[in-house]
Amino acid sequence: MPKKAHSFLLIAVMILAAALAGCSGNTDTASGENGSKKTIKFMHLWPAGSSKQQNQIVTDIIEQYEAEHEDVKIEVEVLENEQYKNKIKVLSSSNELPDVGFTWAAGYMTPFVKGSLFAELDDVLNDGLKESFVSGTTEAYALDGKSYGLPLELNIAPIYYNKEIFEKYNLDVPQTYSEFENAVKTLTDNGVAPIALGNKDRWTGSLWYMYLADRIGGAEVLNKAIDRSGSFEDPALVSAAEEIQNLVKENAFNKGYNGLSNDEGKAEFLNGNAAMYLMGTWELPNFTTNEEIPQDFRDSVGFFKFPTVDGGKGNIDSWVGGPGVGLFVAENSKVKDESKEFVKFFVEKWGEQSVEKAGVIPATKVDTGKVDLPDLYIDVLNELNKASSLTLFADVQMSASVAETHLNLIQSLFGNEVKPADYAKQHEEALKAEEGN
Amino acid sequence: MNKVLSNKKVLALYITPALFLVLALIYIPIVQTGYYGLMKWNGIGEMDFIGLKNYKVLMKDALFWRSALHSFLLALFSAISLIGYLFISIILAGKIKGADLLRKIYLIPMLLASVAIAQLWMKIYHPSNGMLNTVLMASGIEDPPAWLADANLALYAIIIPIIWQYAGFYILIYYAALKNIPESLVEAARIDGASPWQIALKIKLPLIMNVIKVTIVLAVVGSLKYFDLIYVMTGGGPNGASEVMASYMYQKAFKGFDFGYASAIGFFLLVICLVVTYIIRRFTAANEDIY
């Protein structure tokens, strides 16, 4: 009996040891040359479950690429958005980024570039690819004149509205801010929440602030405050904050918006409780092709441009938006040339299919005559061609820590916990502190 | 079996893997965290040694102290709730009808994943069509609060599900401890004419005192490093109103990209937990020690 117990424990120890060895076993074979085949490690953030169409396109592109390049194998890892961001952070701290992966523009990308983790992609762009991008999109992925990412998506943020509700209360699409305020008043008087907002996520409220800043002070005022050629205590930025609190006072947003996520806020719009919803064009599939949302509702959704403010400097064709995710190539990749070729191939193929198949507007130009799309898409794409300027989302423009301050302040502003002047002052202080570093 | 376990070499052989695991997964990261806490590091580029600057900033960081206050509030409420659990357990262990079923009912929340609990309570707290506000509106309250969105209420609104979540765990511990009390003691007291109330207070409570002490430490330390429901339900918002120390650390590391500072917070959190544990032990170690 003692002998039996002994061997049993010994086996248990060996199993444990084997399990431990398994944890660290296969890190070296994954990247680089694998026999005669070269392996490109590719990480993306569109799981088949939540982003079915995008996932399908990516899979198709990879298959196509592997068929054309028999010596290359592409190894894919998929994670959902937030997990993806966390994993990239962890991988980059040990310098083990995948050969090709997704990044966001400007402020998000900067530390990676400064840490020399991303490869320069100017050679890829200058190889004739640059012309196919919508102007202003690749710039968001450039730092000190060099490009480090190829944008895949382009989004602008219109105000979607429920035509049925507007008709019921005899409202017209507002062209000016005072018309907009009247519409808000009519809706609240009739017990309809005018605007759907989920401000737990905070960037959702930031969109409202950015538009008001743009319409009151012009397209440059916020950009200048952030790049430090201006000040955040600019009167236009303060009065934009005052306007936000006026909207709050008028009950323009659905109840409890500060505790609701964007999805919960969106639900208020989707089930007809709220009349308007300011959001990026990534929502377009929900208002056109998504079969899970009732046809009646999808047919009743229209969009309008953020109205101009009387006496303000803003142009109605100026948009808040910008490129969404983009592709990077890792600087220390063992298969850098192959990876660069792959990202180029990816961007081209993606541009041909994304809008038609997945409803994602690519950062490359779309020929509206050639694609078969719902009217809402055509209208948005046409507006995009007319756009006078594109202001990148504030939290993307800012460095991560300033962005955190900004987002928290947005939540306080909407929650009436901070005065507009202090709101501006605290922004200015955070930006200044960052500059000192 | 006894023969095997008395052989010192074999003992060492068996202890090594576990020791190795604990070292690799717990103690080495703690040392590393302490080390990172002395750095200015965004998690990507080079680290700069800045000595104790992170800690100096931390001492003056109003947002951190606010979240620390929230953590301590949570710990206080968790500790108070133990009284309720103890009371329930005494009733359950007192041979009432359906005690077994009730015990299972209390235990179920503990079996749910934190995220599921968070989703469940977010539905309850939903400002316009949540269960709670529907009931409140039906009973004539016209403008019920928007629980998780209200800076004054958000923290308390989250403390309730946290307490609810762990009810089953503590009730189970107390229940098991109470069941371990020899029947003969209770019997003897009863024969001597003690009332059920006296039996509970004078016989059962002192006999499970050690278990109670352990649960106090568990509840307080568990609350101080609590993270999950807060992260899912409010993300610490609105504007830090429900932020606790662990969620603040997460914000700094993964949202603010300030790993050095976040490591300092993490290390400081560990120190706080150790100190609090020590204090609780000091105060409760009146008669018999178990550490």
Side-chain angles (χ1 to χ4, degrees), chain A residues 6 157 174 181 206 343:
Chain A
H6 192 151
E181 281 177 308
S206 174
V343 290

Side-chain angles (χ1 to χ4, degrees), chain B residues 99-118:
Chain B
D100 217 36
L101 180 70
L102 281 171
R103 193 168 47 93
K104 280 170 189 142
I105 290 175
Y106 284 123
L107 193 63
I108 282 176
M110 216 194 93
L111 303 178
L112 291 174
S114 285
V115 176
I117 292 177

Side-chain angles (χ1 to χ4, degrees), chain A residues 2 5-6 9-10 13 16 20 86 89 92-93 111-112 117 200 255-256 258-260 268 400 404 408 411-412 417, chain B residues 1 4 13-14 17 21 42-44 122 126-128 143-144 146 149 151 232-234 238-239 250-251 254-255 257 259:
Chain A
H6 192 151
L9 284 174
L10 201 62
V13 170
L16 191 68
L20 272 177
N86 288 347
K89 288 290 307 181
S92 55
S93 61
F112 293 92
L117 292 170
K200 185 172 105 181
K255 189 176 165 66
N258 249 357
L260 298 179
E268 299 288 308
E404 269 305 294
N408 282 335
Q411 217 176 26
S412 324
E417 289 165 45
Chain B
M1 196 76 186
V4 173
L13 178 71
Y14 290 149
L21 271 182
N42 64 5
I44 294 165
M122 278 159 78
H126 192 286
S128 50
D143 193 25
V232 183
M233 286 176 73
T234 60
N239 190 29
Y250 177 86
Q251 294 278 355
F254 287 94
K255 297 277 156 84
F257 285 2
F259 274 73

Side-chain angles (χ1 to χ4, degrees), chain A residues 172-183 304-311 316:
Chain A
D172 291 323
V173 167
Q175 298 289 326
T176 66
Y177 193 68
S178 46
E179 285 172 29
F180 175 77
E181 281 177 308
N182 285 336
F304 60 84
K305 298 181 255 189
F306 201 98
T308 48
V309 173
D310 301 322
I316 197 155

Side-chain angles (χ1 to χ4, degrees), chain B residues 13 51 58 61 100 103 136 173 185 252 255 285:
Chain B
L13 178 71
L58 185 62
D61 186 345
D100 217 36
R103 193 168 47 93
L136 286 178
I173 293 181
L185 289 178
K252 284 287 170 195
K255 297 277 156 84

